[in-house]
Amino acid sequence: MITTRVMTMDDYDAVLALMNATPGISIRDADSREATARYLQRNPGMSFVAQADGKLIGCVMCGHDGRRGYLQHLLVLPECRRQGIAQSLVQRCLSSLEALGIGKCHLDVLKTNDAAARYWHGQGWQRREDIDRFSFTRPGNENA
């Protein structure tokens, strides 16, 4: 039986292992234990994990800036895909954003991650052609 629940810091090691085992996922210093704890504390009850037989098989992290939502690290083990797990995790995020009055959500996909781009397009998400993302990183934090 597959269950979903709110992600806690107790899930960190299993989530990191899932990230490490998933092609197309970029792990940065921003994914450290400390940074993840800050993220979950700033966005309580908005990130979720999926479990089957006590084993973590999927996750998604969700946050917001008060106006827009942001999804990161939607992952489902390859052998558990095509069962609606990712869709369920995303829906929980979108519902939690909607409860806060936030109706728009963004996510980033690495340009080299064709599988993720196909997934999101198939779920009805629109690739933005009208904007480019710019990032600033303070010197010494190049892996942030």
Side-chain angles (χ1 to χ4, degrees), residues 64-106:
H64 68 90
D65 62 11
R67 298 180 330 127
R68 299 287 189 254
Y70 301 91
L71 294 185
Q72 292 106 31
H73 301 317
L74 173 65
L75 309 167
V76 175
L77 284 174
E79 61 270 22
C80 298
R81 293 179 183 168
R82 307 198 68 74
Q83 298 180 48
I85 299 166
Q87 190 173 22
S88 175
L89 289 167
V90 170
Q91 193 53 51
R92 291 205 56 185
C93 291
L94 296 178
S95 293
S96 66
L97 290 167
E98 185 177 31
L100 296 173
I102 299 171
K104 189 171 192 174
C105 188
H106 301 293

Side-chain angles (χ1 to χ4, degrees), residues 4-117:
T4 60
R5 63 171 173 75
V6 171
M7 180 181 168
T8 71
M9 279 308 294
D10 290 339
D11 299 310
Y12 178 79
D13 291 330
V15 167
L16 191 63
L18 184 59
M19 290 169 62
N20 276 314
T22 304
I25 299 299
S26 176
I27 299 173
R28 304 291 215 175
D29 292 344
D31 298 310
S32 70
R33 183 178 299 277
E34 296 77 18
T36 300
R38 282 193 310 271
Y39 187 85
L40 294 177
Q41 184 176 18
R42 185 184 188 288
N43 301 285
M46 299 188 75
S47 296
F48 301 93
V49 295
Q51 290 181 293
D53 300 320
K55 178 183 175 188
L56 192 131
I57 60 168
C59 64
V60 65
M61 294 179 69
C62 179
H64 68 90
D65 62 11
R67 298 180 330 127
R68 299 287 189 254
Y70 301 91
L71 294 185
Q72 292 106 31
H73 301 317
L74 173 65
L75 309 167
V76 175
L77 284 174
E79 61 270 22
C80 298
R81 293 179 183 168
R82 307 198 68 74
Q83 298 180 48
I85 299 166
Q87 190 173 22
S88 175
L89 289 167
V90 170
Q91 193 53 51
R92 291 205 56 185
C93 291
L94 296 178
S95 293
S96 66
L97 290 167
E98 185 177 31
L100 296 173
I102 299 171
K104 189 171 192 174
C105 188
H106 301 293
L107 58 91
D108 294 326
V109 174
L110 292 172
K111 290 193 179 284
T112 58
N113 194 340
D114 294 330

